Short mmCIF file of all heavy atoms in Angstrom, two decimals:
data_model
loop_
_atom_site.label_atom_id
_atom_site.label_comp_id
_atom_site.label_asym_id
_atom_site.label_seq_id
_atom_site.Cartn_x
_atom_site.Cartn_y
_atom_site.Cartn_z
N ARG A 1 -33.78 90.28 -228.76
CA ARG A 1 -32.64 91.08 -228.39
C ARG A 1 -31.94 90.52 -227.15
O ARG A 1 -30.81 90.87 -226.89
CB ARG A 1 -33.05 92.53 -228.26
CG ARG A 1 -33.59 92.93 -226.94
CD ARG A 1 -33.99 94.39 -226.92
NE ARG A 1 -34.68 94.58 -225.69
CZ ARG A 1 -35.72 95.31 -225.50
NH1 ARG A 1 -36.23 95.99 -226.50
NH2 ARG A 1 -36.29 95.40 -224.33
N CYS A 2 -32.63 89.68 -226.39
CA CYS A 2 -32.02 89.11 -225.18
C CYS A 2 -31.48 87.71 -225.42
O CYS A 2 -30.83 87.14 -224.55
CB CYS A 2 -33.05 89.06 -224.06
SG CYS A 2 -33.63 90.68 -223.58
N CYS A 3 -31.75 87.13 -226.58
CA CYS A 3 -31.31 85.76 -226.85
C CYS A 3 -29.86 85.73 -227.29
O CYS A 3 -29.39 86.63 -227.97
CB CYS A 3 -32.17 85.13 -227.94
SG CYS A 3 -33.88 84.91 -227.46
N ARG A 4 -29.18 84.65 -226.91
CA ARG A 4 -27.79 84.47 -227.32
C ARG A 4 -27.71 83.53 -228.53
O ARG A 4 -26.63 83.29 -229.04
CB ARG A 4 -26.98 83.92 -226.17
CG ARG A 4 -26.92 84.88 -225.01
CD ARG A 4 -26.10 84.32 -223.86
NE ARG A 4 -26.25 85.15 -222.69
CZ ARG A 4 -25.42 86.12 -222.36
NH1 ARG A 4 -24.40 86.40 -223.13
NH2 ARG A 4 -25.61 86.82 -221.27
N ALA A 5 -28.85 82.98 -228.95
CA ALA A 5 -28.91 82.11 -230.12
C ALA A 5 -30.23 82.39 -230.84
O ALA A 5 -31.19 82.83 -230.21
CB ALA A 5 -28.85 80.63 -229.69
N PRO A 6 -30.29 82.15 -232.14
CA PRO A 6 -31.54 82.36 -232.86
C PRO A 6 -32.63 81.39 -232.36
O PRO A 6 -32.33 80.26 -231.99
CB PRO A 6 -31.19 82.04 -234.32
CG PRO A 6 -29.71 82.11 -234.40
CD PRO A 6 -29.20 81.75 -233.04
N ILE A 7 -33.85 81.85 -232.36
CA ILE A 7 -34.98 80.99 -232.00
C ILE A 7 -35.31 80.12 -233.20
O ILE A 7 -35.54 80.63 -234.30
CB ILE A 7 -36.20 81.82 -231.57
CG1 ILE A 7 -35.87 82.57 -230.27
CG2 ILE A 7 -37.43 80.94 -231.42
CD1 ILE A 7 -36.93 83.57 -229.85
N HIS A 8 -35.33 78.83 -233.00
CA HIS A 8 -35.64 77.88 -234.06
C HIS A 8 -37.11 77.53 -234.07
O HIS A 8 -37.74 77.45 -235.12
CB HIS A 8 -34.79 76.61 -233.89
CG HIS A 8 -35.04 75.59 -234.94
ND1 HIS A 8 -35.93 74.55 -234.78
CD2 HIS A 8 -34.51 75.44 -236.18
CE1 HIS A 8 -35.95 73.82 -235.87
NE2 HIS A 8 -35.09 74.33 -236.73
N ASN A 9 -37.68 77.30 -232.90
CA ASN A 9 -39.11 76.99 -232.80
C ASN A 9 -39.61 77.35 -231.41
O ASN A 9 -38.82 77.68 -230.53
CB ASN A 9 -39.39 75.52 -233.12
CG ASN A 9 -38.77 74.58 -232.10
OD1 ASN A 9 -37.58 74.64 -231.85
ND2 ASN A 9 -39.56 73.72 -231.52
N ALA A 10 -40.92 77.31 -231.25
CA ALA A 10 -41.53 77.63 -229.96
C ALA A 10 -42.65 76.65 -229.69
O ALA A 10 -43.32 76.17 -230.61
CB ALA A 10 -42.07 79.05 -229.96
N VAL A 11 -42.85 76.36 -228.42
CA VAL A 11 -44.00 75.58 -227.98
C VAL A 11 -44.91 76.55 -227.22
O VAL A 11 -44.45 77.27 -226.34
CB VAL A 11 -43.57 74.40 -227.07
CG1 VAL A 11 -44.79 73.69 -226.51
CG2 VAL A 11 -42.69 73.44 -227.84
N VAL A 12 -46.18 76.56 -227.60
CA VAL A 12 -47.12 77.53 -227.04
C VAL A 12 -48.23 76.80 -226.32
O VAL A 12 -48.88 75.92 -226.87
CB VAL A 12 -47.72 78.42 -228.15
CG1 VAL A 12 -48.69 79.43 -227.57
CG2 VAL A 12 -46.63 79.10 -228.95
N LYS A 13 -48.46 77.18 -225.07
CA LYS A 13 -49.59 76.67 -224.30
C LYS A 13 -50.66 77.76 -224.32
O LYS A 13 -50.41 78.91 -223.94
CB LYS A 13 -49.17 76.37 -222.86
CG LYS A 13 -50.29 75.85 -222.00
CD LYS A 13 -49.77 75.53 -220.60
CE LYS A 13 -50.87 75.01 -219.71
NZ LYS A 13 -50.35 74.71 -218.35
N LEU A 14 -51.87 77.41 -224.79
CA LEU A 14 -52.99 78.36 -224.84
C LEU A 14 -53.79 78.25 -223.56
O LEU A 14 -54.30 77.17 -223.24
CB LEU A 14 -53.88 78.06 -226.04
CG LEU A 14 -53.19 78.07 -227.41
CD1 LEU A 14 -54.17 77.62 -228.48
CD2 LEU A 14 -52.63 79.43 -227.72
N VAL A 15 -53.89 79.35 -222.82
CA VAL A 15 -54.59 79.35 -221.54
C VAL A 15 -55.79 80.29 -221.64
O VAL A 15 -55.61 81.51 -221.77
CB VAL A 15 -53.64 79.81 -220.41
CG1 VAL A 15 -54.35 79.79 -219.07
CG2 VAL A 15 -52.38 78.95 -220.38
N PRO A 16 -57.03 79.77 -221.59
CA PRO A 16 -58.19 80.65 -221.61
C PRO A 16 -58.23 81.49 -220.33
O PRO A 16 -57.90 81.00 -219.25
CB PRO A 16 -59.39 79.72 -221.69
CG PRO A 16 -58.87 78.33 -221.57
CD PRO A 16 -57.39 78.36 -221.51
N ALA A 17 -58.61 82.75 -220.48
CA ALA A 17 -58.68 83.65 -219.33
C ALA A 17 -59.84 84.62 -219.51
O ALA A 17 -60.42 84.73 -220.59
CB ALA A 17 -57.37 84.41 -219.19
N VAL A 18 -60.17 85.32 -218.43
CA VAL A 18 -61.25 86.31 -218.43
C VAL A 18 -60.69 87.59 -217.84
O VAL A 18 -59.99 87.58 -216.82
CB VAL A 18 -62.45 85.81 -217.60
CG1 VAL A 18 -63.52 86.89 -217.47
CG2 VAL A 18 -63.04 84.56 -218.22
N LYS A 19 -61.00 88.71 -218.48
CA LYS A 19 -60.55 90.02 -217.99
C LYS A 19 -61.17 90.29 -216.62
O LYS A 19 -62.39 90.23 -216.46
CB LYS A 19 -60.95 91.09 -218.99
CG LYS A 19 -60.87 92.51 -218.50
CD LYS A 19 -59.47 93.01 -218.48
CE LYS A 19 -59.52 94.53 -218.21
NZ LYS A 19 -58.28 95.10 -217.93
N GLN A 20 -60.32 90.54 -215.64
CA GLN A 20 -60.75 90.89 -214.29
C GLN A 20 -59.83 91.96 -213.76
O GLN A 20 -58.66 91.68 -213.46
CB GLN A 20 -60.73 89.68 -213.37
CG GLN A 20 -61.73 88.61 -213.76
CD GLN A 20 -61.63 87.38 -212.89
OE1 GLN A 20 -60.58 87.07 -212.33
NE2 GLN A 20 -62.72 86.66 -212.77
N GLY A 21 -60.32 93.17 -213.68
CA GLY A 21 -59.48 94.27 -213.19
C GLY A 21 -58.31 94.52 -214.11
O GLY A 21 -58.49 94.71 -215.30
N ASP A 22 -57.09 94.46 -213.55
CA ASP A 22 -55.91 94.76 -214.36
C ASP A 22 -55.06 93.51 -214.62
O ASP A 22 -53.84 93.59 -214.69
CB ASP A 22 -55.08 95.84 -213.69
CG ASP A 22 -54.58 95.46 -212.30
OD1 ASP A 22 -54.96 94.38 -211.80
OD2 ASP A 22 -53.80 96.24 -211.72
N ASN A 23 -55.73 92.34 -214.81
CA ASN A 23 -54.97 91.11 -215.06
C ASN A 23 -54.44 91.02 -216.50
O ASN A 23 -53.76 90.07 -216.85
CB ASN A 23 -55.79 89.86 -214.72
CG ASN A 23 -56.96 89.61 -215.65
OD1 ASN A 23 -57.47 90.54 -216.29
ND2 ASN A 23 -57.42 88.38 -215.70
N THR A 24 -54.75 92.00 -217.33
CA THR A 24 -54.22 92.08 -218.69
C THR A 24 -54.17 93.53 -219.11
O THR A 24 -54.91 94.36 -218.57
CB THR A 24 -55.06 91.27 -219.69
OG1 THR A 24 -54.46 91.37 -220.99
CG2 THR A 24 -56.49 91.76 -219.78
N GLN A 25 -53.30 93.83 -220.07
CA GLN A 25 -53.24 95.18 -220.62
C GLN A 25 -54.15 95.34 -221.83
O GLN A 25 -54.22 96.43 -222.41
CB GLN A 25 -51.80 95.55 -220.97
CG GLN A 25 -50.92 95.66 -219.75
CD GLN A 25 -49.49 96.06 -220.11
OE1 GLN A 25 -49.17 96.38 -221.26
NE2 GLN A 25 -48.64 96.06 -219.12
N LEU A 26 -54.84 94.27 -222.23
CA LEU A 26 -55.77 94.35 -223.34
C LEU A 26 -56.92 95.30 -222.99
O LEU A 26 -57.37 95.34 -221.84
CB LEU A 26 -56.35 92.97 -223.67
CG LEU A 26 -55.37 91.95 -224.24
CD1 LEU A 26 -56.05 90.59 -224.35
CD2 LEU A 26 -54.82 92.39 -225.59
N GLU A 27 -57.38 96.04 -223.97
CA GLU A 27 -58.50 96.96 -223.75
C GLU A 27 -59.81 96.20 -223.92
O GLU A 27 -60.42 96.21 -224.98
CB GLU A 27 -58.40 98.14 -224.71
CG GLU A 27 -57.17 99.00 -224.45
CD GLU A 27 -57.07 100.18 -225.40
OE1 GLU A 27 -58.05 100.47 -226.11
OE2 GLU A 27 -56.00 100.80 -225.43
N LEU A 28 -60.21 95.52 -222.85
CA LEU A 28 -61.42 94.71 -222.84
C LEU A 28 -62.28 95.10 -221.65
O LEU A 28 -61.78 95.61 -220.65
CB LEU A 28 -61.07 93.21 -222.71
CG LEU A 28 -60.23 92.57 -223.81
CD1 LEU A 28 -59.79 91.18 -223.38
CD2 LEU A 28 -61.02 92.51 -225.10
N GLU A 29 -63.58 94.83 -221.74
CA GLU A 29 -64.48 95.01 -220.60
C GLU A 29 -64.25 93.89 -219.60
O GLU A 29 -63.88 92.77 -219.99
CB GLU A 29 -65.94 94.97 -221.09
CG GLU A 29 -66.30 96.06 -222.08
CD GLU A 29 -66.36 97.43 -221.43
OE1 GLU A 29 -66.73 97.51 -220.24
OE2 GLU A 29 -66.01 98.42 -222.12
N ASP A 30 -64.45 94.16 -218.32
CA ASP A 30 -64.37 93.09 -217.32
C ASP A 30 -65.33 91.97 -217.70
O ASP A 30 -66.46 92.22 -218.13
CB ASP A 30 -64.72 93.61 -215.92
CG ASP A 30 -63.53 94.24 -215.22
OD1 ASP A 30 -62.42 94.22 -215.79
OD2 ASP A 30 -63.70 94.74 -214.10
N GLY A 31 -64.89 90.74 -217.57
CA GLY A 31 -65.69 89.57 -217.92
C GLY A 31 -65.49 89.08 -219.35
O GLY A 31 -65.99 88.02 -219.71
N ALA A 32 -64.76 89.86 -220.16
CA ALA A 32 -64.53 89.46 -221.56
C ALA A 32 -63.44 88.38 -221.62
O ALA A 32 -62.44 88.45 -220.91
CB ALA A 32 -64.11 90.66 -222.40
N PRO A 33 -63.62 87.37 -222.46
CA PRO A 33 -62.62 86.31 -222.57
C PRO A 33 -61.42 86.75 -223.42
O PRO A 33 -61.55 87.59 -224.31
CB PRO A 33 -63.38 85.17 -223.26
CG PRO A 33 -64.40 85.88 -224.08
CD PRO A 33 -64.78 87.11 -223.30
N PHE A 34 -60.27 86.16 -223.14
CA PHE A 34 -59.09 86.34 -223.97
C PHE A 34 -58.21 85.10 -223.81
O PHE A 34 -58.47 84.26 -222.96
CB PHE A 34 -58.33 87.63 -223.62
CG PHE A 34 -57.69 87.66 -222.27
CD1 PHE A 34 -56.35 87.31 -222.11
CD2 PHE A 34 -58.39 88.06 -221.15
CE1 PHE A 34 -55.75 87.35 -220.86
CE2 PHE A 34 -57.80 88.11 -219.89
CZ PHE A 34 -56.48 87.76 -219.75
N LEU A 35 -57.22 84.99 -224.66
CA LEU A 35 -56.26 83.88 -224.57
C LEU A 35 -54.92 84.39 -224.06
O LEU A 35 -54.45 85.45 -224.49
CB LEU A 35 -56.03 83.23 -225.94
CG LEU A 35 -57.15 82.36 -226.47
CD1 LEU A 35 -56.83 81.90 -227.89
CD2 LEU A 35 -57.35 81.16 -225.58
N ARG A 36 -54.32 83.65 -223.17
CA ARG A 36 -52.96 83.94 -222.71
C ARG A 36 -52.05 82.86 -223.28
O ARG A 36 -52.29 81.68 -223.10
CB ARG A 36 -52.91 83.97 -221.18
CG ARG A 36 -51.53 84.29 -220.65
CD ARG A 36 -51.59 84.76 -219.23
NE ARG A 36 -52.05 86.16 -219.23
CZ ARG A 36 -52.60 86.74 -218.18
NH1 ARG A 36 -52.77 86.10 -217.06
NH2 ARG A 36 -52.98 88.01 -218.25
N LEU A 37 -51.03 83.28 -224.00
CA LEU A 37 -50.09 82.35 -224.61
C LEU A 37 -48.82 82.29 -223.76
O LEU A 37 -48.19 83.32 -223.53
CB LEU A 37 -49.71 82.82 -226.02
CG LEU A 37 -50.72 82.60 -227.15
CD1 LEU A 37 -52.03 83.30 -226.89
CD2 LEU A 37 -50.14 83.07 -228.46
N HIS A 38 -48.51 81.12 -223.27
CA HIS A 38 -47.25 80.88 -222.56
C HIS A 38 -46.31 80.21 -223.56
O HIS A 38 -46.56 79.07 -223.97
CB HIS A 38 -47.47 79.96 -221.35
CG HIS A 38 -48.23 80.60 -220.24
ND1 HIS A 38 -47.63 81.09 -219.12
CD2 HIS A 38 -49.55 80.84 -220.10
CE1 HIS A 38 -48.55 81.59 -218.32
NE2 HIS A 38 -49.72 81.46 -218.89
N GLU A 39 -45.28 80.91 -223.97
CA GLU A 39 -44.38 80.41 -225.01
C GLU A 39 -43.02 80.03 -224.43
O GLU A 39 -42.46 80.75 -223.62
CB GLU A 39 -44.14 81.47 -226.08
CG GLU A 39 -45.40 81.86 -226.84
CD GLU A 39 -45.11 82.88 -227.91
OE1 GLU A 39 -44.44 83.89 -227.62
OE2 GLU A 39 -45.55 82.66 -229.05
N THR A 40 -42.51 78.89 -224.88
CA THR A 40 -41.14 78.49 -224.59
C THR A 40 -40.43 78.42 -225.93
O THR A 40 -40.88 77.75 -226.85
CB THR A 40 -41.09 77.12 -223.89
OG1 THR A 40 -41.90 77.15 -222.72
CG2 THR A 40 -39.67 76.75 -223.52
N HIS A 41 -39.34 79.16 -226.04
CA HIS A 41 -38.59 79.26 -227.30
C HIS A 41 -37.34 78.39 -227.21
O HIS A 41 -36.66 78.37 -226.19
CB HIS A 41 -38.20 80.72 -227.56
CG HIS A 41 -39.38 81.63 -227.60
ND1 HIS A 41 -40.15 81.81 -228.72
CD2 HIS A 41 -39.94 82.40 -226.63
CE1 HIS A 41 -41.12 82.67 -228.45
NE2 HIS A 41 -41.02 83.04 -227.19
N TYR A 42 -37.05 77.70 -228.31
CA TYR A 42 -35.94 76.75 -228.36
C TYR A 42 -34.96 77.10 -229.47
O TYR A 42 -35.36 77.61 -230.53
CB TYR A 42 -36.47 75.34 -228.62
CG TYR A 42 -37.32 74.80 -227.49
CD1 TYR A 42 -38.69 75.02 -227.47
CD2 TYR A 42 -36.75 74.09 -226.45
CE1 TYR A 42 -39.47 74.53 -226.43
CE2 TYR A 42 -37.53 73.59 -225.40
CZ TYR A 42 -38.89 73.82 -225.41
OH TYR A 42 -39.66 73.35 -224.38
N SER A 43 -33.70 76.75 -229.24
CA SER A 43 -32.67 76.89 -230.28
C SER A 43 -32.75 75.68 -231.21
O SER A 43 -33.47 74.72 -230.93
CB SER A 43 -31.28 76.96 -229.64
OG SER A 43 -30.94 75.69 -229.10
N SER A 44 -31.97 75.70 -232.28
CA SER A 44 -31.96 74.55 -233.20
C SER A 44 -31.39 73.31 -232.52
O SER A 44 -31.67 72.19 -232.94
CB SER A 44 -31.17 74.88 -234.47
OG SER A 44 -29.84 75.22 -234.13
N ALA A 45 -30.61 73.47 -231.45
CA ALA A 45 -30.08 72.33 -230.69
C ALA A 45 -31.08 71.79 -229.66
O ALA A 45 -30.80 70.81 -229.00
CB ALA A 45 -28.79 72.73 -229.99
N GLY A 46 -32.23 72.46 -229.54
CA GLY A 46 -33.25 72.01 -228.60
C GLY A 46 -33.12 72.60 -227.21
O GLY A 46 -33.82 72.19 -226.29
N ASP A 47 -32.24 73.58 -227.04
CA ASP A 47 -32.07 74.24 -225.74
C ASP A 47 -33.15 75.30 -225.55
O ASP A 47 -33.46 76.06 -226.48
CB ASP A 47 -30.69 74.92 -225.66
CG ASP A 47 -29.55 73.93 -225.76
OD1 ASP A 47 -29.67 72.81 -225.22
OD2 ASP A 47 -28.54 74.27 -226.42
N ARG A 48 -33.71 75.36 -224.33
CA ARG A 48 -34.65 76.44 -224.02
C ARG A 48 -33.85 77.72 -223.88
O ARG A 48 -32.90 77.79 -223.12
CB ARG A 48 -35.38 76.16 -222.70
CG ARG A 48 -36.44 75.08 -222.84
CD ARG A 48 -37.09 74.83 -221.53
NE ARG A 48 -36.05 74.18 -220.68
CZ ARG A 48 -36.30 73.52 -219.59
NH1 ARG A 48 -37.53 73.41 -219.15
NH2 ARG A 48 -35.34 72.97 -218.91
N ILE A 49 -34.25 78.73 -224.65
CA ILE A 49 -33.48 79.98 -224.63
C ILE A 49 -34.31 81.20 -224.23
O ILE A 49 -33.74 82.24 -223.93
CB ILE A 49 -32.77 80.23 -225.97
CG1 ILE A 49 -33.76 80.26 -227.12
CG2 ILE A 49 -31.70 79.19 -226.20
CD1 ILE A 49 -33.14 80.65 -228.46
N ALA A 50 -35.64 81.08 -224.22
CA ALA A 50 -36.46 82.23 -223.85
C ALA A 50 -37.87 81.78 -223.50
O ALA A 50 -38.32 80.70 -223.91
CB ALA A 50 -36.51 83.24 -224.99
N TYR A 51 -38.52 82.62 -222.72
CA TYR A 51 -39.93 82.42 -222.36
C TYR A 51 -40.66 83.72 -222.63
O TYR A 51 -40.08 84.80 -222.52
CB TYR A 51 -40.08 82.08 -220.88
CG TYR A 51 -39.36 80.83 -220.45
CD1 TYR A 51 -38.07 80.87 -219.94
CD2 TYR A 51 -39.98 79.59 -220.57
CE1 TYR A 51 -37.41 79.73 -219.56
CE2 TYR A 51 -39.32 78.43 -220.19
CZ TYR A 51 -38.04 78.51 -219.67
OH TYR A 51 -37.39 77.37 -219.30
N SER A 52 -41.94 83.62 -222.95
CA SER A 52 -42.74 84.83 -223.10
C SER A 52 -44.19 84.53 -222.75
O SER A 52 -44.63 83.39 -222.79
CB SER A 52 -42.63 85.40 -224.52
OG SER A 52 -43.17 84.49 -225.46
N VAL A 53 -44.90 85.59 -222.39
CA VAL A 53 -46.34 85.52 -222.13
C VAL A 53 -46.98 86.61 -222.96
O VAL A 53 -46.58 87.78 -222.88
CB VAL A 53 -46.66 85.72 -220.63
CG1 VAL A 53 -48.16 85.73 -220.40
CG2 VAL A 53 -45.99 84.66 -219.79
N ILE A 54 -47.96 86.22 -223.76
CA ILE A 54 -48.64 87.17 -224.64
C ILE A 54 -50.14 87.01 -224.42
O ILE A 54 -50.67 85.90 -224.45
CB ILE A 54 -48.31 86.90 -226.12
CG1 ILE A 54 -46.82 87.06 -226.36
CG2 ILE A 54 -49.12 87.82 -227.03
CD1 ILE A 54 -46.36 86.64 -227.74
N ASP A 55 -50.84 88.13 -224.19
CA ASP A 55 -52.30 88.11 -224.10
C ASP A 55 -52.87 88.44 -225.47
O ASP A 55 -52.40 89.35 -226.15
CB ASP A 55 -52.79 89.11 -223.06
CG ASP A 55 -52.47 88.67 -221.64
OD1 ASP A 55 -52.08 87.50 -221.45
OD2 ASP A 55 -52.61 89.49 -220.72
N LEU A 56 -53.89 87.70 -225.86
CA LEU A 56 -54.45 87.80 -227.21
C LEU A 56 -55.96 87.95 -227.15
O LEU A 56 -56.64 87.14 -226.53
CB LEU A 56 -54.08 86.52 -227.99
CG LEU A 56 -54.66 86.35 -229.37
CD1 LEU A 56 -53.97 87.29 -230.35
CD2 LEU A 56 -54.49 84.92 -229.82
N ASP A 57 -56.46 88.99 -227.80
CA ASP A 57 -57.90 89.17 -227.97
C ASP A 57 -58.27 88.47 -229.26
O ASP A 57 -58.03 88.98 -230.35
CB ASP A 57 -58.23 90.66 -228.03
CG ASP A 57 -59.70 90.95 -228.31
OD1 ASP A 57 -60.49 90.00 -228.49
OD2 ASP A 57 -60.05 92.14 -228.37
N ASP A 58 -58.83 87.26 -229.16
CA ASP A 58 -59.10 86.48 -230.37
C ASP A 58 -60.28 87.01 -231.16
O ASP A 58 -60.57 86.53 -232.24
CB ASP A 58 -59.23 84.99 -230.08
CG ASP A 58 -60.44 84.63 -229.26
OD1 ASP A 58 -61.06 85.53 -228.67
OD2 ASP A 58 -60.78 83.44 -229.22
N GLY A 59 -60.97 88.03 -230.66
CA GLY A 59 -61.97 88.74 -231.45
C GLY A 59 -61.30 89.69 -232.43
O GLY A 59 -61.91 90.17 -233.38
N PHE A 60 -60.02 89.97 -232.21
CA PHE A 60 -59.26 90.90 -233.04
C PHE A 60 -58.24 90.17 -233.90
O PHE A 60 -58.08 90.45 -235.08
CB PHE A 60 -58.57 91.92 -232.14
CG PHE A 60 -57.79 92.97 -232.87
CD1 PHE A 60 -58.43 93.92 -233.65
CD2 PHE A 60 -56.42 93.00 -232.78
CE1 PHE A 60 -57.70 94.89 -234.33
CE2 PHE A 60 -55.68 93.95 -233.45
CZ PHE A 60 -56.32 94.90 -234.23
N ILE A 61 -57.51 89.22 -233.30
CA ILE A 61 -56.51 88.42 -234.00
C ILE A 61 -56.81 86.95 -233.73
O ILE A 61 -57.03 86.57 -232.60
CB ILE A 61 -55.08 88.74 -233.50
CG1 ILE A 61 -54.72 90.18 -233.79
CG2 ILE A 61 -54.06 87.79 -234.11
CD1 ILE A 61 -53.40 90.61 -233.20
N GLN A 62 -56.80 86.13 -234.77
CA GLN A 62 -57.04 84.70 -234.58
C GLN A 62 -55.79 83.92 -234.96
O GLN A 62 -55.04 84.32 -235.84
CB GLN A 62 -58.24 84.25 -235.39
CG GLN A 62 -59.50 84.90 -234.88
CD GLN A 62 -60.76 84.23 -235.38
OE1 GLN A 62 -60.72 83.35 -236.21
NE2 GLN A 62 -61.88 84.67 -234.86
N LEU A 63 -55.58 82.82 -234.24
CA LEU A 63 -54.42 81.97 -234.48
C LEU A 63 -54.74 80.88 -235.47
O LEU A 63 -55.88 80.43 -235.59
CB LEU A 63 -53.97 81.31 -233.17
CG LEU A 63 -53.53 82.24 -232.05
CD1 LEU A 63 -53.24 81.44 -230.80
CD2 LEU A 63 -52.31 83.02 -232.48
N GLU A 64 -53.70 80.43 -236.16
CA GLU A 64 -53.82 79.28 -237.04
C GLU A 64 -52.67 78.33 -236.71
O GLU A 64 -51.52 78.77 -236.56
CB GLU A 64 -53.70 79.75 -238.50
CG GLU A 64 -53.90 78.66 -239.51
CD GLU A 64 -53.95 79.21 -240.92
OE1 GLU A 64 -54.71 80.15 -241.17
OE2 GLU A 64 -53.20 78.69 -241.75
N VAL A 65 -52.97 77.06 -236.54
CA VAL A 65 -51.95 76.09 -236.19
C VAL A 65 -51.56 75.31 -237.44
O VAL A 65 -52.40 74.81 -238.17
CB VAL A 65 -52.47 75.11 -235.11
CG1 VAL A 65 -51.45 74.03 -234.82
CG2 VAL A 65 -52.85 75.85 -233.86
N VAL A 66 -50.24 75.25 -237.68
CA VAL A 66 -49.71 74.49 -238.82
C VAL A 66 -48.90 73.34 -238.23
O VAL A 66 -47.99 73.55 -237.45
CB VAL A 66 -48.80 75.39 -239.70
CG1 VAL A 66 -48.20 74.56 -240.82
CG2 VAL A 66 -49.59 76.56 -240.23
N ARG A 67 -49.28 72.13 -238.58
CA ARG A 67 -48.58 70.95 -238.08
C ARG A 67 -47.74 70.35 -239.21
O ARG A 67 -48.21 70.19 -240.32
CB ARG A 67 -49.58 69.92 -237.57
CG ARG A 67 -50.29 70.37 -236.33
CD ARG A 67 -51.30 69.38 -235.88
NE ARG A 67 -50.69 68.07 -235.71
CZ ARG A 67 -51.28 67.05 -235.13
NH1 ARG A 67 -52.49 67.17 -234.67
NH2 ARG A 67 -50.67 65.90 -235.00
N THR A 68 -46.51 70.01 -238.90
CA THR A 68 -45.66 69.32 -239.87
C THR A 68 -45.09 68.08 -239.20
O THR A 68 -45.02 67.99 -237.98
CB THR A 68 -44.50 70.23 -240.34
OG1 THR A 68 -43.69 70.57 -239.22
CG2 THR A 68 -45.02 71.48 -241.00
N GLN A 69 -44.72 67.13 -240.01
CA GLN A 69 -44.15 65.89 -239.45
C GLN A 69 -42.86 65.56 -240.12
O GLN A 69 -42.54 65.91 -241.17
CB GLN A 69 -45.14 64.75 -239.62
CG GLN A 69 -46.39 65.03 -238.82
CD GLN A 69 -47.23 63.78 -238.69
OE1 GLN A 69 -46.70 62.68 -238.53
NE2 GLN A 69 -48.53 63.95 -238.72
#
């Protein structure tokens, strides 16, 4: 809703993290691992148009990477 162009693709950096206090909104016990996704979204012209950070409990949802060439 904040983008001025459609998102064509995203580059995601997976950052391992550990729940400590209120460093995530995930419902996890302190010390539990989770993944933090730092996403950069690009237009079809290759312009950076958005950024996002998503915390993921990989015990609940797992990622799959699809590579194309």
Side-chain angles (χ1 to χ4, degrees):
R1 87 180 171 219
C2 298
C3 294
R4 297 180 190 265
I7 294 172
H8 180 266
N9 65 305
V11 174
V12 180
K13 180 178 180 180
L14 303 174
V15 181
V18 174
K19 166 77 171 170
Q20 295 176 333
D22 60 355
N23 69 336
T24 181
Q25 293 182 6
L26 293 173
E27 295 180 12
L28 298 170
E29 299 289 327
D30 275 357
F34 67 95
L35 286 175
R36 180 161 283 158
L37 284 60
H38 290 258
E39 297 182 311
T40 304
H41 303 276
Y42 295 90
S43 70
S44 59
D47 298 322
R48 286 178 291 197
I49 57 174
Y51 299 94
S52 64
V53 177
I54 299 172
D55 289 347
L56 174 73
D57 176 359
D58 67 345
F60 182 68
I61 297 174
Q62 295 195 353
L63 298 175
E64 184 172 309
V65 176
V66 177
R67 292 177 55 169
T68 61
Q69 296 194 38

